[in-house]
């Protein structure tokens, strides 16, 4: 008896009962017409109550040709445009306009309230959906005014059925050709049990892709225990409550058409919010309604979480958001630092708006000013252009209110950009009659976060300053203040839900082993740290080293990615390099390695500007053979499979086909997270990713990802008193006086020319050079930069200002640029002329899963202090430096070095050269086939030597780098063209 009360039918009954308690009506399954996919009784009842004159003209009450014509017209429109479109817009039929849904009423409009209450929200159990097989039934169908909007398959954990069984039932048993399950005929299909919810917007048989729709629990996947019911009842109690569902129909659900820029082919895609997207937008809008303009919000949503759609949904609803019965914001400015997404974000926002003309793209000086003056509601721009655009905005916007939506907040709100935004939008204006003190005070006022603007800052990886600038202040037990995001959707939750792929699950570091030799007889001394850095750069940039690493990358890509049909055989790879020069070198090395394998695939390169390679000027467009703007699209199409980058595409590049990353660049902190996260975008056929890292170890990467796995919290706020200490230290050094600072600021603010400004700075430069030793020069310059960095940040968020701080900011900002760097003798100069590369090899270690700590990520506040200091050189003899370097990066220690050398140089080449098939391939002048035969003969030779040297055989079997080197060496030593 207990099991019956907790079976699948009981969950179904509970959902229906609670829906009806919340304003729904229970329908009858025999009133559903499978051929037209609608409940005709409730459809006709809605028309009867709202548009009674149309009932007879449409023939809704009797079975007539008139009714069939209308229903055929209705079904045709739903098929062409989707059910959301016809609910929003109604349809036209033979001179009549038929409204099919009445939207959420504005407050104080009784007629609109009456219309909305006439909507019929109907839920029906066990709906027989098939025309051909009357026995098939789906558990629940939700209908609005007779039109299906959702279907549901419910399962029950207690009877050993889960949400995954519901997903499989949709994939296996629900035919997308049937009207109810065809694309666009409903908004979404829900698979759920008593613990989890998933949804799909387009059924495609076994390829149907179900996304999670859970609230999250403990910063991870799932739902919290519900003291008032089952874990998943939030879906029908809250999300599907009539007003909530109406909001989804009006503002979120959408069919968008995407055009392939290369082929011109258009494809339709249904958009439906995941829970965290719906939740964050609604919470933000509720806070705007309660608080109005002047608030700051930090939204920490994991990379790959759908930030573009979240920003689009928020932006278009902010245009109508109200506070105290008036529109909260006159204009919404969307700022993105992701150039690739700039136009994409504009189009996404437009797709959700009814009137596209309300969106303007500001990319030239004057565009933003004109857009605001013209009353444009939404303005999209990039942070790269923003400071220049803001210069041209008038100072007459004090009475206006703004919403500033920032995509990737950590880099979009640098101190100078933030100040420019504030000055431009606050209306701070400097009059000619103002005194210097008046002007200083106005500048301080202009740097503050705007009281007439709200900031909505989205990022996956908030830095300390981002948290302090935009986060919510939280009191700490010790009396201090910390900061946390307004809303978070964590990397932990996204990975556990399978919405993004865990990029740390298959991380393979590659050790580089070198042997250098001294090429001079004497033994000079060099600075150890600088020398080691130069030696490492020399070896890693050596043409032989790059060729070997490129060979490893190509071999791995072809054998482990392509051959194993990752992402259904469509997987792409990215190579991350440390400089543009290295990027270009890798492009050529990988192209050559692909050609040597006779691979049909090609490599693409991405870098900025024009650069020299082997005496020729090259650009990415010239090397690729197509424009730079086409890179992202070309990489999606064959034969282009591998993308080599230098800085470009390391952030803001969302390509689900990207599976493997080869890293040859030191990464740390946010950059490491952003770079590796390019791999995490989900795809129905994507089940894993792979990172092969030549420059970082697992500990480096774990440290970088740790703070961002769960909600990121700033431990404490920046101590503003440290600015007083810095000012006192700077003043005490004595290279300027307070009078000198005041005089410079006075002349600067009154617009005097350079010949009146430079002498005041040059006097301090002379003092800096002549009166300070190198250590004091380093300290002064370090303290000055620390002051500028900290003051520019704090000036935006402190409730008070200081004219002394502002004056020093203006003075030091100009002085620091004129101060020469302390002259430091390069005690490693010339070392590269005294060494040579004797050997190099790269060795892959075992793949590993990097596990992140399951606790809140905490960032410490950035230090406000300066105190730069010069490190004393550590001198060492060249021979000792080379010996130490080789010890650290040296070759394998063989048990019997002489015997191994004899095997490699004499015995193995002899055995390979005697192979008959190899001889025949050489005689036919076929080097490609000859190489194949050489490698085969080498494998046989190694098997013959297993008893003589097990260490050599094991190294050959286990170390792919050594195996490749030996194969290359043997082939080079034995291949002879026929005469």
């Amino acid at each position: 008896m207990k099991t019956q009360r907790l079976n699948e039918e009981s969950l179904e009954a509970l959902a229906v009962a609670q829906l009806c308690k919340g304003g729904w009506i229970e329908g009858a399954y025999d009133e559903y017409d499978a051929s037209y996919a609608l409940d005709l009784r409730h459809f006709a009842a809605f028309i009867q109550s709202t548009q009674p004159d149309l009932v007879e003209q449409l023939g809704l009450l009797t079975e007539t040709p008139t009714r069939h014509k209308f229903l055929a017209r209705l079904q045709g429109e739903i098929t062409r445009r989707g059910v959301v479109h016809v609910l929003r817009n109604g349809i036209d039929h033979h001179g009549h306009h038929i409204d099919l849904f009445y939207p959420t009423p504005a407050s104080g409009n009784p007629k609109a309230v009456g219309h909305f209450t006439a909507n019929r929200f109907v839920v029906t159990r066990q709906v027989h959906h098939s025309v051909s097989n009357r026995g098939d039934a789906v558990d629940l169908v939700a209908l609005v005014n007779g039109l299906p909007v959702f279907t549901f398959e419910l399962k029950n954990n207690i009877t050993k059925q889960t949400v995954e069984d519901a997903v499989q039932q949709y994939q296996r048993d629900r035919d997308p050709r049937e009207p109810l399950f065809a694309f666009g005929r409903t908004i979404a299909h829900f698979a759920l049990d008593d613990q989890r919810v998933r949804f799909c917007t387009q059924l495609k048989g076994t390829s149907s892709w179900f996304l999670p729709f859970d609230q999250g629990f403990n910063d991870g996947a799932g739902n919290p225990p519900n003291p008032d019911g089952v874990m998943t009842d939030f879906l029908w109690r809250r999300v599907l409550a009539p007003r909530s569902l109406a909001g989804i129909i009006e503002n979120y659900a959408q069919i968008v058409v995407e055009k392939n820029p290369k082929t011109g082919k258009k494809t339709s895609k249904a958009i439906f919010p995941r829970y965290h997207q719906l939740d964050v937008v609604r919470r933000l809008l509720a806070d705007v309604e309660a608080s109005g303009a002047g608030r700051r919000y930090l939204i920490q949503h994991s990379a790959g979480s759908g930030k573009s759609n979240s920003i689009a949904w928020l932006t278009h609803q902010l245009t109508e958001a109200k506070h105290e019965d008036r529109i909260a914001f006159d204009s919404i400015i969307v700022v993105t630092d992701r150039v690739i997404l700039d136009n994409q974000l504009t189009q996404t926002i437009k797709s959700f708006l009814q009137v596209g003309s309300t969106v303007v793209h500001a990319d030239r000086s004057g565009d933003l000013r004109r857009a605001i003056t013209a009353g444009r509601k939404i303005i999209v721009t990039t942070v790269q252009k923003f400071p220049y655009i803001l210069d041209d905005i008038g100072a007459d916007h004090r009475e206006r209110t703004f919403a500033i939506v920032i995509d990737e907040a950590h880099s979009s709100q640098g101190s100078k950009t933030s100040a420019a935004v504030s000055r431009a939008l606050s209306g701070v204006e400097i009059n000619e009659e103002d005194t210097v003190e008046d002007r200083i005070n106005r500048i301080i006022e202009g740097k503050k976060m705007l009281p007439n603007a709200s900031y909505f800052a989205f990022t996956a990886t908030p830095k300390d300053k981002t948290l302090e600038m935009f986060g919510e202040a939280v009191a700490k037990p010790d009396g201090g203040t910390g900061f946390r995001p307004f809303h978070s959707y964590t990397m932990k939750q996204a990975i556990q839900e399978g919405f993004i792929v865990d990029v740390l699950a298959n991380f393979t570091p590659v050790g580089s082993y070198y042997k250098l030799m001294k090429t001079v007889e004497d033994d000079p001394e060099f600075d150890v740290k600088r020398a080691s850095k130069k030696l490492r750069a020399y070896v890693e940039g050596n043409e032989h080293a790059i060729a070997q690493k490129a060979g490893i990358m190509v071999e791995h890509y072809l054998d482990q990615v392509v051959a194993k049909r990752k992402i259904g055989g469509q997987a792409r790879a990215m190579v991350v390099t440390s400089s543009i020069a290295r990027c270009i070198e890798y492009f050529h090395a990988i192209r050559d390695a692909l050609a040597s394998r006779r691979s049909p695939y090609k490599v693409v390169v991405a870098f900025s500007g024009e650069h020299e390679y082997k005496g020729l000027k090259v650009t990415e467009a010239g090397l690729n053979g197509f424009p730079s703007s086409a890179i992202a699209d070309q990489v999606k199409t064959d034969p282009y499979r591998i993308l080599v980058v230098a800085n470009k595409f390391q952030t803001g590049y969302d390509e689900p086909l990207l599976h493997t990353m080869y890293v040859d660049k030191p990464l740390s902190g946010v950059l490491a997270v952003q770079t590796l996260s390019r791999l995490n975008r989900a795809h129905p056929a994507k089940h894993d990713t792979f990172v092969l890292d030549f420059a970082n170890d697992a500990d480096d990467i774990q440290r970088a990802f740790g703070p961002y796995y769960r909600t990121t919290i700033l431990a404490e706020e920046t101590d503003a008193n440290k600015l007083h200490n810095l000012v006192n230290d700077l003043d005490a050094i004595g290279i300027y006086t307070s009078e000198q600072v005041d005089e410079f600021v006075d002349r600067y603010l009154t617009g005097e020319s350079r010949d009146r400004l430079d002498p005041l700075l040059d006097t301090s430069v002379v003092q800096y050079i002549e009166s300070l030793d190198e250590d004091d020069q380093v300290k002064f310059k370090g303290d000055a930069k620390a002051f500028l960095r900290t003051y520019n940040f704090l000036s935006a968020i402190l409730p008070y200002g200081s004219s002394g701080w502002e004056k020093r900011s203006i003075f030091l900002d100009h002085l620091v640029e004129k101060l020469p760097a302390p002259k430091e003798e390069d005690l490693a100069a010339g070392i590269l002329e005294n060494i040579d590369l004797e050997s190099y090899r790269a060795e892959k270690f075992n793949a590993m899963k990097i596990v992140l700590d399951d606790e809140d990520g905490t960032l410490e506040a950035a230090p406000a202090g300066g105190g730069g200091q010069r490190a004393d050189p550590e001198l060492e003899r060249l021979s000792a430096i080379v010996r130490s370097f080789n010890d650290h990066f040296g070759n394998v220690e063989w048990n019997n070095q002489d015997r191994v050398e004899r095997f490699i140089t004499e015995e193995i080449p002899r055995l390979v050269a005697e192979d008959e098939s190899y001889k025949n391939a050489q005689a036919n002048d076929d080097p490609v086939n000859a190489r194949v035969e050489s490698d085969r003969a080498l494998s046989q030779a190694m098997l013959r030597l297993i008893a003589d040297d097990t260490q050599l055989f094991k190294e050959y079997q286990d170390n792919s780098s050594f195996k490749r080197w030996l194969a290359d060496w043997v082939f080079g030593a034995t291949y002879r063209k026929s005469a």
Side-chain angles (χ1 to χ4, degrees):
M1 182 65 82
K2 182 183 290 187
T3 302
Q4 288 182 333
R5 291 202 303 271
L6 297 174
N7 60 11
E8 183 180 312
E9 288 75 19
S10 68
L11 186 61
E12 185 181 303
L14 176 67
V16 171
Q18 292 182 341
L19 279 166
C20 292
K21 193 174 180 181
W24 286 67
I25 305 166
E26 183 170 5
Y29 70 88
D30 56 356
E31 292 172 346
Y32 177 81
D33 188 324
S35 59
Y36 285 114
L38 86 167
D39 184 319
L40 188 56
R41 183 174 80 83
H42 285 287
F43 181 84
F46 169 74
I47 300 297
Q48 178 76 58
S49 66
T50 60
Q51 301 151 88
D53 295 345
L54 295 176
V55 173
E56 186 175 338
Q57 297 178 61
L58 300 177
L60 294 179
L61 299 180
T62 57
E63 178 85 20
T64 64
T66 300
R67 183 169 79 176
H68 284 296
K69 285 182 181 179
F70 169 68
L71 293 180
R73 166 70 176 163
L74 174 62
Q75 301 315 303
E77 283 296 282
I78 295 175
T79 300
R80 278 188 292 272
R81 306 178 188 279
V83 69
V84 171
H85 184 274
V86 299
L87 286 171
R88 284 181 183 171
N89 301 286
I91 65 168
D92 296 310
H93 178 66
H94 289 176
H96 304 295
H97 179 78
I98 302 98
D99 290 319
L100 301 176
F101 171 76
Y102 288 105
T104 307
S107 59
N109 187 335
K111 183 178 179 181
V113 171
H115 277 152
F116 182 77
T117 56
N119 288 318
R120 302 174 75 85
F121 296 88
V122 178
V123 57
T124 305
R125 299 175 66 177
Q126 296 302 313
V127 172
H128 296 272
H129 53 81
S130 176
V131 176
S132 58
N133 188 351
R134 291 290 184 179
D136 284 352
V138 65
D139 288 343
L140 294 177
V141 175
L143 309 99
V144 174
N145 301 327
L147 300 177
V149 289
F150 300 109
T151 71
F152 303 81
E153 290 290 357
L154 286 73
K155 300 299 174 187
N156 184 42
N157 277 277
I158 292 178
T159 54
K160 309 301 182 185
Q161 293 253 293
T162 70
V163 65
E164 295 302 328
D165 294 296
V167 168
Q168 290 176 21
Q169 189 168 6
Y170 271 116
Q171 293 174 332
R172 183 183 62 244
D173 300 337
R174 305 304 176 213
D175 188 347
R177 293 170 296 183
E178 290 183 2
L180 182 61
F181 300 117
F183 175 70
R185 296 299 295 267
T186 59
I187 297 175
H189 307 279
F190 281 102
L192 67 151
D193 59 26
D194 49 300
Q195 296 179 11
R196 298 288 183 93
V197 183
R198 299 181 72 183
F199 75 93
C200 176
T201 57
Q202 183 176 8
L203 295 180
K204 299 179 180 178
T206 55
S207 299
S208 302
W209 194 15
F210 280 77
L211 300 176
F213 194 85
D214 291 321
Q215 302 169 87
F217 177 55
N218 195 26
D219 270 346
N223 293 290
N226 180 4
D228 300 315
V230 298
M231 289 184 184
T232 51
D233 70 10
F234 71 92
L235 176 63
W236 53 81
R237 281 186 168 180
R238 299 202 309 270
V239 176
L240 298 183
R243 287 238 171 185
S244 172
L245 175 55
I248 290 172
I249 292 171
E250 295 160 26
N251 298 307
Y252 295 88
Q254 184 93 339
I255 290 179
V256 297
V257 178
E258 298 178 341
K259 182 178 180 180
N260 185 311
K262 189 173 183 180
T263 65
K265 183 180 178 181
K266 294 181 178 180
T267 55
S268 295
K269 181 172 68 173
I271 303 293
F272 185 79
R274 293 182 56 217
Y275 182 85
H276 71 272
Q277 295 173 307
L278 187 67
D279 189 55
V280 68
V281 174
R282 288 183 166 177
R283 288 195 188 190
L284 289 168
L285 293 172
D287 201 84
V288 167
E289 183 179 348
S291 307
R295 294 265 290 154
R296 288 175 264 167
Y297 309 92
L298 179 63
I299 299 95
Q300 182 187 358
H301 280 193
S302 167
S305 64
K307 285 205 299 292
S308 291
N309 280 345
S310 298
I311 288 171
W313 282 316
L314 173 66
T315 299
H316 93 82
Q317 290 181 76
L318 284 174
T319 63
E320 300 297 328
K322 290 188 176 182
H323 171 63
E324 297 180 348
D325 293 326
R326 69 174 297 272
I327 294 295
F329 303 111
D330 295 301
S331 292
I332 293 90
I333 300 172
V334 182
V335 186
T336 176
D337 72 346
R338 299 188 285 176
V339 177
I340 295 171
L341 295 186
D342 188 11
N343 290 318
Q344 177 185 324
L345 194 54
T346 305
Q347 295 306 315
T348 303
I349 293 170
K350 283 184 177 180
S351 72
F352 291 119
L353 290 166
Q354 303 300 310
V355 184
S357 61
T358 60
V359 183
V360 64
H361 191 268
D363 57 6
R364 287 188 298 273
S365 178
D367 287 351
L368 188 56
R369 174 179 53 80
R370 287 190 291 272
I372 292 174
T373 303
R376 293 297 187 97
K377 291 295 292 185
I378 299 173
I379 302 138
V380 181
T381 188
T382 57
V383 70
Q384 291 86 351
K385 302 161 188 169
F386 208 17
Y388 307 102
I389 291 170
L390 290 168
D391 288 341
D392 204 30
I393 296 179
D396 55 353
H397 304 307
R398 285 188 193 89
E399 304 306 317
R400 294 177 182 266
T401 53
F402 300 92
I404 301 175
V405 182
I406 305 163
D407 180 22
E408 291 302 336
H410 57 267
S411 52
S412 299
Q413 279 293 298
S415 54
K416 292 185 179 179
T417 300
S418 180
V421 173
S422 300
R423 284 196 300 273
L425 301 184
S426 63
V428 172
E429 188 174 17
I430 296 177
N431 300 314
E432 290 186 7
E433 294 80 13
D434 286 341
T435 66
V436 171
E437 287 302 315
D438 290 333
R439 295 184 182 214
I440 286 291
N441 289 331
R442 287 183 181 274
I443 290 172
I444 292 171
E445 178 189 348
K447 284 184 173 182
K448 301 295 179 194
M449 301 289 278
L450 300 177
N452 59 329
S454 286
Y455 297 80
F456 302 84
F458 287 76
T459 181
T461 50
K463 291 183 177 179
D464 48 5
K465 289 183 179 179
T466 312
L467 278 159
E468 191 167 352
M469 182 171 282
F470 298 111
E472 291 187 313
V474 289
K476 296 170 61 182
D478 62 3
T481 301
F483 296 88
R484 65 178 300 122
F486 174 85
H487 193 277
S488 63
Y489 175 72
T490 65
M491 184 190 304
K492 175 185 175 183
Q493 184 175 351
I495 290 171
Q496 289 184 354
E497 290 183 339
F499 189 67
I500 64 173
V501 186
D502 185 358
V503 299
L504 303 184
N506 292 294
F507 179 87
T508 301
V510 181
S512 294
Y513 297 90
Y514 331 120
K515 192 167 186 180
L516 300 174
M517 59 182 177
K518 186 165 69 76
T519 59
V520 292
E521 290 186 9
D522 54 351
D523 205 6
E525 287 186 335
F526 295 100
D527 178 1
V528 173
K529 289 184 178 178
R530 286 193 175 189
S532 294
K533 188 174 181 180
K534 288 187 177 186
L535 292 176
R536 181 92 192 251
Y538 162 73
V539 174
E540 294 292 354
N542 182 275
E543 187 173 350
H544 171 68
I546 289 177
Q548 186 176 129
K549 288 183 283 188
I552 292 173
M553 296 172 187
V554 168
E555 179 183 40
H556 177 270
Y557 179 72
L558 296 178
D559 295 347
Q560 302 298 322
V561 180
V562 174
K564 295 186 177 179
R565 296 193 55 77
K566 297 294 185 179
I567 317 185
Q570 293 298 310
R572 268 59 181 172
M574 176 184 282
V575 180
V576 178
T577 69
S578 59
S579 67
I580 291 177
R582 191 70 54 82
C583 179
I584 297 169
E585 291 164 355
Y586 264 117
F587 168 78
H588 287 92
I590 291 172
R591 187 184 62 182
D592 293 344
L594 287 168
S596 70
R597 291 278 300 257
R598 291 194 173 181
S599 169
Y601 303 123
K602 290 186 177 181
V603 60
V604 177
V605 67
F607 59 88
S608 301
E610 183 180 69
H611 297 270
E612 187 172 302
Y613 176 73
K614 294 188 175 180
L616 299 175
K617 295 289 185 181
V618 296
T619 63
E620 60 182 9
L623 293 174
N624 291 328
F626 50 78
S628 299
S629 59
I631 290 176
D633 293 318
Q634 291 285 1
V635 171
K636 298 178 184 179
T637 61
D638 283 335
Y640 304 106
R641 288 296 188 98
I642 301 175
L643 176 62
V644 184
V645 304
N647 292 328
K648 293 179 74 171
F649 292 91
Q650 282 182 241
T651 61
Y653 178 53
D654 299 335
E655 179 47 65
L657 294 179
L658 197 57
H659 174 276
T660 298
M661 183 173 287
Y662 305 108
V663 181
D664 195 15
K665 175 183 181 177
L667 298 172
S668 62
V670 168
L671 182 60
V673 179
Q674 289 181 327
T675 300
L676 268 61
S677 293
R678 295 311 99 210
L679 297 179
N680 71 12
R681 300 313 190 262
H683 184 282
K686 188 174 183 178
H687 309 296
D688 59 11
T689 65
F690 197 90
V691 178
L692 201 61
D693 198 319
F694 294 83
N696 308 278
D697 62 29
D699 291 340
D700 298 330
I701 301 302
Q702 186 177 47
R703 278 192 297 270
F705 273 77
Y708 306 108
Y709 185 56
R710 295 187 61 176
T711 299
T712 307
I713 298 171
L714 180 63
E716 60 184 11
E717 61 188 331
T718 304
D719 183 0
N721 281 328
K722 292 178 180 177
L723 279 176
H724 290 297
N725 300 336
L726 283 170
V727 168
N728 291 336
D729 289 346
L730 290 166
D731 290 353
I733 287 182
I735 74 164
Y736 61 79
T737 64
S738 295
E739 293 76 16
Q740 191 178 346
V741 171
D742 290 342
E743 182 65 22
F744 177 85
V745 172
D746 192 353
R747 294 181 187 182
Y748 177 76
L749 293 180
T750 53
E752 296 198 25
S753 59
R754 281 202 61 172
D755 60 350
R756 296 276 293 156
L757 296 172
D758 277 55
L760 293 170
L761 298 174
D762 292 340
T763 300
S764 293
V765 173
V766 170
Q767 283 290 103
Y768 171 85
I769 294 171
E770 294 184 352
S771 65
L772 303 182
D773 61 25
E774 288 186 3
D775 289 338
D776 286 340
Q777 287 179 4
V778 170
K779 184 178 189 312
F780 177 85
K781 201 168 184 180
D783 283 352
K785 288 182 176 180
F787 170 81
L788 291 171
R789 182 175 61 249
T790 307
Y791 176 66
N792 283 332
F793 166 62
L794 288 176
S795 62
I797 60 174
L798 286 178
Y800 56 87
S802 164
S803 61
W805 287 350
E806 183 60 41
K807 288 179 180 180
R808 278 163 179 77
S809 172
I810 295 171
F811 180 77
L812 291 171
D813 199 33
H814 291 81
L815 176 63
V816 164
E817 297 304 319
K818 299 195 78 169
L819 296 178
K823 291 183 179 178
E824 290 187 70
E825 183 182 0
D826 184 358
L827 298 178
I831 190 169
L832 298 184
E833 287 74 35
N834 294 309
I835 56 94
D836 199 359
L837 181 63
E838 182 175 323
S839 63
Y840 175 93
R841 69 178 175 84
E843 179 181 342
K844 285 189 291 185
F845 298 119
N846 292 331
M848 65 183 72
K849 177 180 176 67
I850 298 176
V851 179
L852 300 175
D853 292 334
D854 193 17
E855 58 185 41
D856 281 343
T858 302
L859 294 176
E860 300 298 327
Q869 60 184 23
R870 188 163 55 102
D872 292 330
E874 180 183 346
L875 298 180
E876 187 62 86
R877 294 285 179 189
L878 175 61
S879 57
I881 292 173
V882 170
R883 185 169 57 252
S884 173
F885 197 75
N886 287 334
D887 287 343
H888 189 63
F889 297 109
N891 289 310
V892 175
E893 291 294 331
W894 301 103
N895 294 334
N896 190 324
Q897 184 81 21
D898 293 338
R899 184 174 63 178
V900 168
E901 288 182 5
R902 180 173 58 79
F903 278 145
I904 291 175
T905 59
E906 299 175 16
E907 191 67 15
I908 294 173
R910 181 184 62 78
L911 292 171
V912 170
E914 291 174 352
D915 184 90
E916 290 299 325
S917 297
Y918 181 39
K919 288 180 182 178
N920 293 335
Q922 294 180 78
N924 293 331
D925 278 343
D926 184 355
V928 174
N929 189 45
R931 176 57 190 262
V932 172
E933 294 297 338
S934 173
D935 290 351
R936 180 194 55 76
L938 174 60
S939 296
Q940 292 183 345
M942 294 304 295
L943 286 171
R944 292 169 63 180
L945 290 175
I946 187 171
D948 296 318
D949 197 303
T950 55
Q951 184 192 13
L952 178 58
F953 178 78
K954 186 175 186 303
E955 194 70 22
Y956 174 80
Q957 288 291 98
D958 297 344
N959 186 341
S960 59
S961 300
F962 176 74
K963 182 177 183 179
R964 187 184 312 102
W965 172 85
L966 183 59
D968 289 344
W969 150 252
V970 170
F971 183 68
T974 58
Y975 179 68
R976 299 289 183 270
K977 290 184 180 180
S978 62

